[in-house]
Amino acid sequence: MGDALRPVGGRTRLHERVLDRLRAYAVENGLRAGDRLPAERELAARLGVSRASVKQAVVVLEVRGLVEVRHGGGTYLRGDSLDAEPVERFVERRRRLPDVLDAREALETKLAELAAARRTEDDLAALRAALDHMEREIAGGGHGEEGDRRFHEAVTAAAGSALLAEFMRSLADQIAESRHESLRQPGRTGRSLAQHRAILDAIEAGRPRAASAAMRRHVRTVAKVRLLDRPPDPDPGRDPGRDPEPDPERD
């Protein structure tokens, strides 16, 4: 066995050293997408740091889309390595996301309002089918991304506005990114499904203002993502070669 998870040392920031060890461990053990990292407790013991420091490193990997943290189920690689995307690209994604979310709120609240006024039985069938698909994805352990995509596309179609639909198509890649970030927040999938049902109920009832308000609540929930929260850095006054923090987690 290699020594990728040997105790960390040096003068760089502690969480950066933990990240380096985790990347080396993934390479050394041939980990691929879907493989699980050791538990935080084991990593902390082998690296000689607190679980809080390990958790900080894992949050960085999660924010960068390199791992998926399943509540109570461990941490899994989302790709075939833990190599981070270029810093410039990460910073650009983080810079762009608030603008994308603002655009979504402006466009999709109006689309929901129009959908409630103009929807047909075929539109309602498409909306119901999208939510059924999302529910099956979640029940199967997924995040419901495809069902989510289908639902918002069905709302756009029901609105019957060619120009607004064109605006939505122009933002498709950025919206997919915001969807991906949002649905990976802890507890978010069930909440998103419930919010979609509230939107559907208002559209089905032909209540434009209620549909707009329900969509606004949903998009503002989407806006609460970890990508916009910078993981905390160690106190600059502390020796970066040491890990004096007590472990706040208990068994």
Side-chain angles (χ1 to χ4, degrees), residues 1 36 55 86 88 104 106 108 111 139 148 203 211 234 242 251:
M1 179 182 292
R36 182 177 178 177
K55 183 179 290 293
E88 295 81 3
R104 285 196 66 177
E108 296 199 66
L111 287 166
D148 185 296
I203 291 174
R242 303 183 61 186
D251 296 337

Side-chain angles (χ1 to χ4, degrees), residues 127-128 130-136 151 190-204 214:
L127 288 164
R128 296 186 195 109
L131 290 194
D132 287 345
H133 187 90
M134 186 177 183
E135 189 169 25
R136 289 193 299 271
F151 181 81
R191 185 177 182 185
S192 181
L193 182 61
Q195 289 177 338
H196 285 165
R197 293 199 184 283
I199 296 166
L200 173 57
D201 288 346
I203 291 174
E204 193 167 24

